[in-house]
Amino acid sequence: LLGDAIVGERERLHTRVEQFFERITLQLRQVLREVELRGDERLLVSAEAAASLLTAFIEGRMRQFIRTRFKEHALHDWEADWKVLQVGLFGSEAGSAT
């Protein structure tokens, strides 16, 4: 999914991988908008920017997992990571979607 294994593959496969990440971003954006509409939390940035950041984080963790040859779990230190993301996105540790 990150392009390492599909180098030299057909353009159609690259397009499908791109669509996969676009769907992740779209789903995150929708969830973040719903959180705000319900009044559960207030984002410090737009839902689009927050979704983009979270998608980049996900992709980075996937790359790290591959780089460590599948030794370091993608959710390693998730609790600490979420605290940092949470403060950056919501301004507090209130949104406990752990």
Side-chain angles (χ1 to χ4, degrees):
L1 289 176
L2 300 173
D4 297 342
I6 60 174
V7 173
E9 291 292 329
R10 296 190 327 233
E11 184 62 31
R12 182 170 176 240
L13 188 53
H14 287 280
T15 301
R16 291 187 71 189
V17 170
E18 186 177 318
Q19 289 172 345
F20 171 80
F21 283 105
E22 286 174 1
R23 287 184 196 134
I24 288 175
T25 305
L26 180 64
Q27 186 66 41
L28 287 169
R29 187 179 320 135
Q30 183 176 355
V31 167
L32 291 166
R33 284 182 180 154
E34 289 173 7
V35 164
E36 281 197 304
L37 287 174
R38 285 193 315 261
D40 295 340
E41 290 290 333
R42 181 156 174 81
L43 288 167
L44 296 177
V45 297
S46 68
E48 291 79 13
S52 180
L53 173 67
L54 291 170
T55 301
F57 175 81
I58 291 166
E59 188 172 355
R61 281 305 187 142
M62 291 171 73
R63 287 191 183 280
Q64 184 179 39
F65 186 54
I66 291 169
R67 182 177 41 81
T68 63
R69 298 183 185 246
F70 313 104
K71 293 176 187 163
E72 186 171 324
H73 195 274
L75 292 177
H76 176 73
D77 286 335
W78 168 246
E79 294 296 325
D81 292 342
W82 177 242
K83 285 180 183 180
V84 171
L85 289 167
Q86 196 172 26
V87 170
L89 295 175
F90 302 106
S92 70
E93 295 184 28
S96 58
T98 55

